[in-house]
Amino acid sequence: MLLTSCLQVAAVLSIVSASPMSDSFFKAESDPNYNVVPFYPTPQGGRIEDGKWQAAYHRARQLVDQMTVVEKVNLTTGIGMSNGPCSGNTGSVPRLGIESLCLQDGPLSVRSADLTDVYPCGLAAASSFNKDLAYDRAAAIGREFKEKGVDIWLGPVYGPIGVKAQAGRNWEGHGPDPYLEGVFAYLQTLGGQSQGVIQSAKHLVGNEQELYRQTAAVANAAFGIKYKHNNTNELNSEIDDRAIHETYLWPFAEAVRAGVGSVMCSYNRLNGTHSCENSHLLNYLLKEELGFQGFVVTDWTALHSGVEAAIAGLDMDMPGEPKYWGPNLTAAALNSSVPIDRLDDMATRILAAKFAIGVNNPDGPNYSSNTFKTFDFEFSPQKQGSQIQVNKHVDVRTDENRAVSLRSAIEGIVLLKNENEALPLKGENGKQIAILGQAAGIDSKGANCAFEGCADGAAGTGYGSGAGTFSYFITPAEGIGRRAQEGRFSYEFIPDSWDQTAAVEAASYADAAVVVANSVAGEALGEVDGNPGDLNNLTLWHNVIPLIENVTSVNNNTIVIITSGGHVDLEPFIENENVTAVLFSSYLGQDYGTALAKVLFGDENPSGKLPFTFAKNIDDYVPLIDNITVDEPADKFETSIYVDYKYFDKYDKPVRYEFGYGLSYSNFTLSDIKVETIKQFSEDLEAAADYTESYRNENVNLKAEDATAPDDFTLIENVTYPYIKDTSSIQSNGSYDYPEGYGTEQLKSPASLAAGGLGGNPQLWDLGYVVTASVKNNGPYGGGFAPQLYVSFPDSDEFPTPPVQLRGFEKVFLDNGHSQSVSFELTRKDLSVWDTKSQSWKVLRGDYKFYVGSSSRQLDLVETVTIN
Ligand SMILES: *[C@@H]1O[C@H](CO)[C@@H](O)[C@H](O)[C@H]1NC(C)=O
Ligand SMILES: *[C@@H]1O[C@H](CO)[C@@H](O)[C@H](O)[C@H]1NC(C)=O
Ligand SMILES: *[C@@H]1O[C@H](CO)[C@@H](O)[C@H](O)[C@H]1NC(C)=O
Ligand SMILES: *[C@@H]1O[C@H](CO)[C@@H](O)[C@H](O)[C@H]1NC(C)=O
Ligand SMILES: *[C@@H]1O[C@H](CO)[C@@H](O)[C@H](O)[C@H]1NC(C)=O
Ligand SMILES: *[C@@H]1O[C@H](CO)[C@@H](O)[C@H](O)[C@H]1NC(C)=O
Ligand SMILES: *[C@@H]1O[C@H](CO)[C@@H](O)[C@H](O)[C@H]1NC(C)=O
Ligand SMILES: *[C@@H]1O[C@H](CO)[C@@H](O)[C@H](O)[C@H]1NC(C)=O
Ligand SMILES: *[C@@H]1O[C@H](CO)[C@@H](O)[C@H](O)[C@H]1NC(C)=O
Ligand SMILES: *[C@@H]1O[C@H](CO)[C@@H](O)[C@H](O)[C@H]1NC(C)=O
Ligand SMILES: *[C@@H]1O[C@H](CO)[C@@H](O)[C@H](O)[C@H]1NC(C)=O
């Protein structure tokens, strides 16, 4: 089973001569019409006062100082698609004992490795509103990456955040509220990296749909996808400065604050320039303003230039294309068109991330993402080299990890509707349950078709690089059936959703008819039932709407279970009086059916909350960009900071279930709000501390003769090496056409008030207020509940703000009749708006309202504080 060969890029023999390079090597396709303020040079890593990172930089510099140009380039460039065991593999530096780095998909599992767990997706994890679980789930997944010998975990996903209902990859992220996503980003970074694996927070930024993320020619050649318009340029996300800061960049800032070691730049363009060669994005926003200390890696094949990308702040090219980096980067460094300081910084950042996070895998990866066979060629795609053991079949699953995965699945389930106490299911002997719907059973292609997509049955994950490889998969029919049997219910499962005669017959005499419905979204690595990653429509799949209609006509206790990548249309059945209960979740991983059964039968009380809003009218969702001009496909991001509930609230659009909503089998109430003032904030931040001195490598070796392959070195075709062939033409002429604003002088102090520490100016996390409230479980069951804190900002013409914004949440577990106090901490950043003029965060003057509630529209308690 070849899992990664699906993307066949043109690769050429990578020994090149150092002849003059084409124009595209230097020029990003930047468009003067966009207001992208260029920023040069790339801030050198290691200049922020931070003990852990500075120690790591010290170690890294000692190594980089000893390296030749080709050795440095080797760390920055992958060895090519499907070469090596992992999704991506860098070159190595054998002389200094530095191994090739292994980069592996994906966000919810060690994709394409055997004997691993497949966890609930990011959106399901976010639905738990449980901080402990955010940390624990990431730590458990991180442990599996570590034990498979992975250095860099390609995830989690903080973009797309899920602005568009039909976008294919929303389930990989944590929903469109930046605060919720940000808390997950912070805790998942701490949890995942605690295991000694670097995370690559992805995708930076504005990759909010799959359609047109690549050119039509590339999407068609690589994946057989046919776009309606043959775009010759990648989709351009035009995002305004406030929205970038207050929405799209926010979760990445939290990941950086927690010390994330890597960030992945995305396929799309941002304001006219590709993300991976956008100096405003990488040099300014990420490395200067957010103080990011790790390395930036491309999404796979997202590189479009050589020098331009290098000086814009890119540090690593994956899977490694000789066209731009590898030998061409070597030549560019030798002739000084890429300053050697920049190449040093790239290599140093990569090694510093490794040391800061404590990555140490001397034995390398013990699996192959190319095959499940035990032995294979050393160079698998070329069928060259010796036969080596590529899979050691190390079982990294543990009872503890399975328990974390299951808990995350259970808490990822949101109870949307529960009439007549339909749930939990009651009774035993003689009670009859009908389990109905194609989505309840196994796919005809089995459980592991998710990489390239399957659409025929139960969905444990979405498809694409975010999928996992199941070592077991409990479908809803299996999980619910097994639990029904244990409870001495009688049950039957009828999978046919097309000829509904049997389903209707079974429903007509069942005490409860459980209909399972889904919709399967994914990455544009292929088409699934004609959907190119993004969904063609928001209707639930497999003819299930007629099935629900038919079943409800004969059964007045119909329970609908919905599993999807996010938004779907609930309106066709949600008000049907015979639909007594509805459960929603995003993809729940290996224990999908187990988790559903525990909730349905009341072994667990549902406690999930919606991480997005279900509209009443699907036309109120932000549509995919589909009508484009082929040479300049543009996405205007017109909703700016008004995303999800902020949009529905501001424009008073009808919602079916709002952000933060989710029922329990118990009744929880909130009371006794109190606000303690810790600090009254000034309007503006104070400047953060100066940077430490920049570092200069005194041992620079620019000898072209050291940049050729050793005589005895066997070069394998289609592997990317750093070597050049012809040294004679390397000469520095220093007259390259650098982009406007280009310079090489490092700053002494932060460029703006917003900058100066990991994630931004450290004062952004100063504590201002602590809000407390009391939560009571009025019964009749024990269970979990997630109270939420929303802030409404002072009225301001200059800085209009959404009616309310999430700024805190907690999760409490209480026995029937018990109560507990919860507290929410509000920081300066929580109470700030982004001021584009000063390029910094501002606390407004006036009345702030702090609400504590059980959803974004059920705001039970309020207190006002005035900031003068
Ligand atoms: C990379 O180098 C080769 C050989 O010098 C050259 O033909 C090619 O144009 C270079 N790539 C680019 C994008 O300039
Ligand atoms: C570059 O990396 C490759 C692949 O790991 C390795 O074979 C080669 O020796 C490295 N070259 C140098 C100069 O270290
Ligand atoms: C897009 O290109 C394909 C392949 O060249 C062609 O078959 C198709 O007609 C084109 N579509 C449009 C809308 O031009
Ligand atoms: C993108 O362009 C818009 C319009 O010119 C501008 O307001 C915004 O600041 C730019 N955003 C970024 C991230 O450069
Ligand atoms: C190298 O890549 C080219 C283009 O994909 C392919 O035609 C060729 O067969 C490959 N060579 C080997 C040895 O795999
Ligand atoms: C189910 O409903 C569809 C239309 O909604 C109808 O055509 C079909 O006959 C029904 N099937 C059964 C078995 O009642
Ligand atoms: C919606 O998409 C699904 C999945 O591709 C498809 O089966 C269904 O026919 C579509 N429904 C409508 C109304 O277009
Ligand atoms: C609800 O179910 C009952 C059978 O229990 C049926 O008589 C009634 O027509 C159904 N109502 C709807 C709206 O389908
Ligand atoms: C549902 O249908 C059952 C069996 O037909 C009947 O006994 C019961 O009263 C109905 N419940 C409601 C709420 O209509
Ligand atoms: C597509 O965009 C063009 C140019 O903006 C416009 O004239 C046309 O009406 C649009 N078509 C649709 C179906 O929206
Ligand atoms: C929950 O309990 C409170 C206090 O007993 C009561 O006022 C409220 O109506 C109950 N809510 C629900 C949804 O039952």
Side-chain angles (χ1 to χ4, degrees):
M1 177 172 190
L2 200 66
L3 290 168
T4 48
S5 65
C6 168
L7 181 65
Q8 289 298 348
V9 290
V12 292
L13 186 65
S14 56
I15 290 297
V16 295
S17 64
S19 54
M21 292 161 203
S22 66
D23 262 6
S24 75
F25 189 66
F26 299 103
K27 289 300 229 184
E29 292 130 44
S30 52
D31 186 319
N33 295 323
Y34 299 103
N35 173 24
V36 180
V37 184
F39 187 85
Y40 299 101
T42 302
Q44 191 183 68
R47 298 185 62 212
I48 282 175
E49 295 283 6
D50 178 285
K52 188 170 89 170
W53 278 105
Q54 289 195 317
Y57 268 91
H58 183 74
R59 271 181 80 185
R61 282 170 184 153
Q62 285 181 331
L63 284 166
V64 174
D65 283 1
Q66 301 172 54
M67 289 183 190
T68 63
V69 168
V70 277
E71 286 172 336
K72 293 169 193 171
V73 169
N74 235 7
L75 293 180
T76 68
T77 306
I79 62 176
M81 188 72 73
S82 302
N83 295 323
C86 306
S87 308
N89 308 269
T90 66
S92 57
V93 186
R95 189 173 65 86
L96 300 173
I98 300 169
E99 311 280 341
S100 161
L101 292 169
C102 161
L103 298 88
Q104 181 62 49
D105 294 333
L108 55 67
S109 179
V110 191
R111 182 180 69 73
S112 67
D114 61 358
L115 303 169
T116 56
D117 288 299
V118 177
Y119 292 73
C121 67
L123 194 62
S127 308
S128 72
F129 277 57
N130 184 334
K131 294 179 186 174
D132 292 340
L133 201 46
Y135 182 97
D136 291 348
R137 172 179 165 281
I141 303 174
R143 196 147 59 229
E144 300 197 14
F145 273 89
K146 170 72 186 171
E147 287 175 15
K148 284 288 181 185
V150 175
D151 302 305
I152 296 137
W153 161 7
L154 298 170
V157 169
Y158 307 121
I161 65 169
V163 166
K164 301 174 189 177
Q166 283 164 258
R169 300 184 77 176
N170 296 346
W171 53 278
E172 295 187 48
H174 306 81
D177 181 82
Y179 181 88
L180 178 67
E181 182 130 39
V183 170
F184 271 76
Y186 182 75
L187 294 169
Q188 291 185 151
T189 304
L190 293 180
Q193 293 194 158
S194 73
Q195 302 302 310
V197 59
I198 295 171
Q199 287 184 334
S200 193
K202 66 188 191 180
H203 309 83
L204 191 74
V205 67
N207 194 168
E208 293 289 336
Q209 66 175 50
E210 293 296 283
L211 272 178
Y212 308 119
R213 69 173 192 169
Q214 289 168 308
T215 62
V218 168
N220 191 262
F223 310 116
I225 292 172
K226 288 193 184 67
Y227 292 151
K228 200 157 86 188
H229 304 280
N230 286 337
N231 59 310
T232 53
N233 208 342
E234 289 78 7
L235 189 64
N236 186 25
S237 297
E238 298 174 26
I239 309 182
D240 70 83
D241 199 32
R242 250 191 100 183
I244 273 280
H245 284 87
E246 294 187 22
T247 308
Y248 297 93
L249 205 58
W250 183 298
F252 288 96
E254 289 298 314
V256 172
R257 181 164 79 97
V260 78
S262 173
V263 166
M264 184 189 288
C265 49
S266 54
Y267 286 114
N268 57 289
R269 291 176 299 146
L270 178 69
N271 274 13
T273 305
H274 288 112
S275 296
C276 294
E277 58 185 16
N278 189 317
S279 73
H280 184 79
L281 177 63
L282 303 182
N283 283 346
Y284 185 70
L285 293 176
L286 181 64
K287 289 182 171 175
E288 172 59 25
E289 190 181 305
L290 302 187
F292 173 60
Q293 296 297 295
F295 64 90
V296 180
V297 59
T298 60
D299 203 337
W300 266 227
T301 74
L303 185 59
H304 296 279
S305 64
V307 173
E308 183 95 6
I311 61 177
L314 181 73
D315 302 300
M316 187 186 281
D317 169 31
M318 279 290 154
E321 295 152 292
K323 184 176 175 202
Y324 295 119
W325 280 23
N328 278 339
L329 183 58
T330 299
L334 289 174
N335 71 17
S336 299
S337 42
V338 168
I340 192 68
D341 287 358
R342 181 72 265 274
L343 180 63
D344 284 346
D345 181 53
M346 293 176 193
T348 310
R349 282 176 171 272
I350 292 164
L351 291 177
K354 192 177 147 168
F355 296 139
I357 286 126
V359 171
N360 181 26
N361 293 308
D363 300 329
N366 54 39
Y367 70 97
S368 166
S369 64
N370 300 314
T371 177
F372 288 133
K373 288 186 301 191
T374 304
F375 292 90
D376 195 12
F377 289 102
E378 187 184 351
F379 295 95
S380 178
Q382 296 83 351
K383 300 193 172 20
Q384 282 178 35
S386 45
Q387 286 280 322
I388 54 171
Q389 184 171 355
V390 292
N391 275 307
K392 299 199 177 125
H393 309 296
V394 178
D395 190 350
V396 299
R397 301 166 303 172
T398 60
D399 291 347
E400 191 193 354
N401 283 5
R402 179 176 180 184
V404 170
S405 175
L406 177 57
R407 172 122 312 273
S408 175
I410 290 165
E411 291 191 37
I413 295 170
V414 185
L415 179 63
L416 296 180
K417 177 175 179 181
N418 193 17
E419 301 292 323
N420 316 327
E421 293 174 3
L423 293 180
L425 293 170
K426 291 161 205 81
E428 42 173 43
N429 276 356
K431 288 280 180 179
Q432 174 73 32
I433 300 173
I435 305 169
L436 308 170
Q438 192 176 330
I442 195 77
D443 195 280
S444 59
K445 285 190 268 178
N448 279 325
C449 46
F451 180 63
E452 282 158 323
C454 40
D456 259 6
T461 82
Y463 57 93
S465 65
T469 306
F470 291 103
S471 61
Y472 71 90
F473 176 52
I474 311 292
T475 63
E478 225 178 316
I480 298 166
R482 193 183 294 174
R483 180 60 184 79
Q485 188 189 348
E486 279 167 19
R488 303 189 62 76
F489 289 78
S490 153
Y491 80 95
E492 62 184 318
F493 167 42
I494 293 153
D496 194 335
S497 293
W498 303 92
D499 178 349
Q500 299 177 357
T501 318
V504 171
E505 168 73 8
S508 70
Y509 54 80
D511 298 288
V514 178
V515 182
V516 179
N518 77 16
S519 154
V520 193
E523 184 182 5
L525 298 184
E527 290 190 355
V528 173
D529 196 28
N531 299 270
D534 295 336
L535 294 166
N536 291 331
N537 65 62
L538 291 174
T539 305
L540 287 158
W541 287 19
H542 314 125
N543 206 30
V544 79
I545 299 300
L547 180 66
I548 294 170
E549 267 164 28
N550 286 333
V551 167
T552 49
S553 72
V554 297
N555 185 298
N556 66 11
N557 188 27
T558 301
I559 293 154
V560 179
I561 293 171
I562 299 157
T563 304
S564 65
H567 303 90
V568 285
D569 190 5
L570 305 177
E571 294 307 303
F573 59 87
I574 199 70
E575 283 185 358
N576 186 317
E577 59 180 5
N578 286 349
V579 172
T580 49
V582 178
L583 294 173
F584 161 80
S585 76
S586 196
Y587 309 119
L588 295 181
Q590 63 198 11
D591 267 312
Y592 175 26
T594 323
L596 284 175
K598 285 188 183 292
V599 168
L600 284 173
F601 290 86
D603 306 332
E604 296 281 348
N605 195 343
S607 63
K609 294 284 190 180
L610 283 180
F612 61 86
T613 297
F614 278 111
K616 275 196 175 161
N617 181 351
I618 57 171
D619 294 336
D620 286 337
Y621 292 129
V622 176
L624 296 170
I625 295 297
D626 199 8
N627 183 25
I628 55 161
T629 49
V630 293
D631 56 341
E632 193 46 53
D635 185 350
K636 303 268 182 207
F637 281 72
E638 272 153 1
T639 52
S640 182
I641 56 172
Y642 300 99
V643 170
D644 195 69
Y645 65 93
K646 298 169 189 174
Y647 174 85
F648 290 96
D649 290 351
K650 180 178 166 76
Y651 299 103
D652 213 9
K653 300 284 182 191
V655 309
R656 174 59 64 185
Y657 297 118
E658 70 276 13
F659 177 90
Y661 173 90
L663 301 171
S664 162
Y665 297 153
S666 286
N667 170 337
F668 287 85
T669 46
L670 291 161
S671 62
D672 300 327
I673 186 170
K674 290 192 190 64
V675 178
E676 186 192 352
T677 304
I678 309 292
K679 183 177 188 174
Q680 276 250 5
F681 292 125
S682 58
E683 195 168 2
D684 290 307
L685 290 155
E686 282 163 36
D690 282 352
Y691 295 131
T692 62
E693 280 298 299
S694 59
Y695 181 78
R696 191 152 206 113
N697 172 6
E698 301 297 344
N699 307 325
V700 167
N701 164 4
L702 289 182
K703 280 188 282 182
E705 50 276 27
D706 289 353
T708 57
D711 292 341
D712 57 353
F713 194 90
T714 311
L715 296 158
I716 308 288
E717 196 178 331
N718 296 347
V719 171
T720 303
Y721 296 103
Y723 306 115
I724 54 167
K725 196 157 81 182
D726 169 16
T727 61
S728 61
S729 63
I730 297 277
Q731 48 184 282
S732 170
N733 62 17
S735 64
Y736 293 113
D737 186 10
Y738 290 111
E740 196 190 334
Y742 178 76
T744 55
E745 195 67 29
Q746 288 285 323
L747 294 176
K748 296 213 167 14
S749 52
S752 75
L753 291 179
L758 282 180
N761 188 324
Q763 293 150 40
L764 288 168
W765 292 278
D766 284 355
L767 192 55
Y769 301 89
V770 178
V771 181
T772 54
S774 176
V775 186
K776 181 165 191 219
N777 180 352
N778 299 303
Y781 304 95
F785 178 71
Q788 298 150 42
L789 181 121
Y790 293 85
V791 173
S792 114
F793 284 54
D795 286 336
S796 160
D797 292 339
E798 194 182 357
F799 298 103
T801 47
V804 294
Q805 305 191 58
L806 183 73
R807 285 294 185 261
F809 62 90
E810 290 298 327
K811 185 123 183 206
V812 294
F813 289 86
L814 291 171
D815 289 338
N816 181 5
H818 286 239
S819 45
Q820 189 185 317
S821 163
V822 288
S823 62
F824 308 91
E825 298 189 333
L826 289 164
T827 65
R828 175 186 269 277
K829 192 172 179 190
D830 291 334
L831 303 178
S832 295
V833 293
W834 179 256
D835 178 16
T836 56
K837 271 190 252 149
S838 66
Q839 283 294 296
S840 186
W841 296 95
K842 256 190 167 43
V843 176
L844 300 181
R845 311 286 87 183
D847 289 348
Y848 280 85
K849 287 196 177 70
F850 301 156
Y851 297 94
V852 177
S854 55
S855 83
S856 61
R857 287 197 172 189
Q858 174 142 13
L859 304 166
D860 304 276
L861 313 172
V862 61
E863 273 289 320
T864 303
V865 304
T866 307
I867 302 184
N868 298 306

